[in-house]
Amino acid sequence: MEKKRYLSITLAMCLALSALAGCGGGQTPQPSQTQAAGNTKEESQQAGTAGESSNDTAEGASRETILIGVSGSITGAAPINGLRTKQGAQMAADEINEAGGVLGRQIELFVADDGGAQDTAINAANLIISQDVVAQVGPNLSGMALAVEGLLSQAKVPMLTGATSPKLVTTIDNPYLFRIRAADTVQAKLAATYATQNLGCRKLGLFTNSNDYGSGALNVIQEYLDGIGTAYVAEAHNTGDTDMTSQILKLKDAGVDGVIIWTDDAETALAARQFHDLGLDVPIIGSPSISTPQVSGLCQPQWLDNWYCVTDFTASNTSDHVTKFVKDFEAKYNETPELYAATYYGSIYILKDAIERAGTTESDALLKALNETDNLQGVVGKYKPNTMREMVHEGIICKLEDGTAVYLDSITVED
């Protein structure tokens, strides 16, 4: 694997701007993924307005195939996330098809660009529903998942998402929604537990995004810290902020001995630089964002000294199922997989398992089978839904070494 180039501070700042899409680049879809019927390549890249299929029968796809919708951010602020989503799902579909398919039928993917925003995610979901899919996987961001879950429920289409906001189960009860990553109720509690029990922090700084993702985790962390009597100082920032100096200095002046940061990709990279520049030299535990190479690659390694993170997946995990996945993904795409690839690779295998047990793709039978998934091994853990259809109940602790998330331990959290 090529040694990571240090990107400039200018790029980190550029990524934090609302127009950061111009600072990132996508990659050409794999040859097995042709554009949807009637759409040019350029049209398929318009956020939420066009899709692409894994063969030439996207529109009104042949019923000889099992059609699964994929909602991924192919354009928008972080196109690499959508690319990895698509690659992971396609790799699973290819493996399954090469092994004979499901119930004697091939899996076909219909990929719609959700643009990384709520309005385009709604358009993408409507487009996917119109294709008569058996299920949708994605979107991955919590705000987008909250925006579209009702549409999928109304259409009776099962939705498998990596979105982690507690609101997806605390404020809604959608029988068609399955969460295929550990929720923030698991991940955020794990971060707080590790900070206090393993790192010995006694006065924590909590630095969170004010959006659904950050505020949901903040509530979980505060409840845990209040319960064990650990002091904390909370500071918030907004999506798109380019200067976090005042909040970071408040944490430093308060004398915190550790920080938990829970925010999106661009803001994580920016905060890493500003923590370093302002001399806040304490252990920092990041959300899963910093475990991905598309985020850690925006940071110089010294910015991440004394950083840890909680996550669902890291390529440095030496378990047999992870090492095989990493090897196969690198052979297929010449890239190392990360969280998005692993999550949506697993989503297709969850659906394969459920369809085989149901013996049909009919909605009610598929829904029942998904609810009866029983410790199916995936690369982000074992899948077994609880009463709120949360399928993953474990997290990983990593330490950032030379800018890379290195596996330390896997921890299961009881519901």
Side-chain angles (χ1 to χ4, degrees), residues 53-289:
S53 170
S54 56
N55 64 32
D56 291 326
T57 60
E59 194 164 350
S62 168
R63 296 307 91 203
E64 294 178 357
T65 65
I66 294 174
L67 188 63
I68 297 171
V70 180
S71 177
S73 302
I74 310 301
T75 60
I80 192 68
N81 298 343
L83 177 63
R84 295 290 179 259
T85 295
K86 183 170 66 172
Q87 288 175 329
Q90 188 63 56
M91 178 171 151
D94 289 345
E95 289 175 353
I96 293 165
N97 290 340
E98 289 167 6
V102 184
L103 304 181
R105 296 159 65 188
Q106 297 280 284
I107 290 178
E108 179 185 351
L109 302 182
F110 182 85
V111 181
D113 182 5
D114 59 43
Q118 290 187 8
D119 56 349
T120 45
I122 290 171
N123 292 340
N126 281 323
L127 178 60
I128 287 171
I129 291 167
S130 74
Q131 304 300 308
D132 194 26
V133 298
V134 303
Q136 172 177 308
V137 301
N140 198 74
L141 297 182
S142 294
M144 293 161 57
L146 287 163
V148 305
E149 55 84 18
L151 297 173
L152 277 298
S153 176
Q154 186 175 12
K156 296 186 177 182
V157 174
M159 170 182 167
L160 280 62
T161 179
T164 57
S165 171
K167 286 186 178 181
L168 287 164
V169 294
T170 59
T171 64
I172 63 171
D173 185 9
N174 180 348
Y176 290 88
L177 173 65
F178 293 83
R179 182 143 47 183
I180 56 172
R181 285 180 52 208
D184 286 340
T185 49
V186 172
Q187 300 275 27
K189 183 177 179 181
L190 181 56
T193 302
Y194 195 82
T196 54
Q197 294 186 9
N198 296 76
L199 300 179
C201 299
R202 294 294 173 262
K203 187 177 184 180
L204 275 167
L206 309 181
F207 192 51
T208 58
N209 199 311
S210 60
N211 63 11
D212 284 331
Y213 179 57
S215 60
L218 176 63
N219 291 336
V220 172
I221 296 167
Q222 287 177 319
E223 181 179 358
Y224 175 81
L225 296 179
D226 288 339
I228 63 173
T230 296
Y232 58 85
V233 179
E235 290 291 331
H237 62 274
N238 297 318
T239 300
D241 281 356
T242 59
D243 186 0
M244 303 170 177
T245 301
S246 63
Q247 298 99 314
I248 294 171
L249 288 177
K250 287 178 182 178
L251 296 178
K252 184 178 179 181
D253 292 344
V256 299
D257 58 1
V259 173
I260 298 175
I261 174 172
W262 215 269
T263 188
D264 295 327
D265 293 1
E267 291 74 28
T268 298
L270 180 64
R273 179 180 71 82
Q274 294 191 341
F275 280 145
H276 176 266
D277 290 351
L278 295 170
L280 185 57
D281 188 18
V282 296
I284 297 170
I285 301 182
S287 61
S289 296

Side-chain angles (χ1 to χ4, degrees), residues 18 20 37 44 62 74 97 99 116 120 197 245 267 282 291 296 327 331 348 359 362 367 399 413:
S18 61
L20 85 170
S44 75
S62 168
I74 310 301
N97 290 340
T120 45
Q197 294 186 9
T245 301
E267 291 74 28
V282 296
S291 72
S296 61
K327 179 181 178 181
I348 305 303
E362 189 273 327
L367 199 65
K399 191 174 192 311
V413 178

Side-chain angles (χ1 to χ4, degrees), residues 281-365:
D281 188 18
V282 296
I284 297 170
I285 301 182
S287 61
S289 296
I290 196 62
S291 72
T292 63
Q294 56 260 42
V295 178
S296 61
L298 293 168
C299 305
Q300 294 187 13
Q302 63 266 29
W303 300 353
L304 301 177
D305 286 346
N306 216 12
W307 271 67
Y308 300 79
C309 68
V310 294
T311 187
D312 313 76
F313 174 84
T314 176
S316 66
N317 188 336
T318 58
S319 65
D320 291 343
H321 53 278
V322 172
T323 54
K324 182 181 185 306
F325 168 68
V326 171
K327 179 181 178 181
D328 292 346
F329 191 94
E330 289 178 340
K332 186 176 183 68
Y333 296 115
N334 198 31
E335 297 282 356
T336 298
E338 39 69 271
L339 180 57
Y340 285 79
T343 297
Y344 292 100
Y345 174 84
S347 72
I348 305 303
Y349 273 100
I350 293 171
L351 287 169
K352 170 188 179 291
D353 173 71
I355 292 168
E356 287 179 335
R357 286 185 289 104
T360 178
T361 58
E362 189 273 327
S363 180
D364 289 343

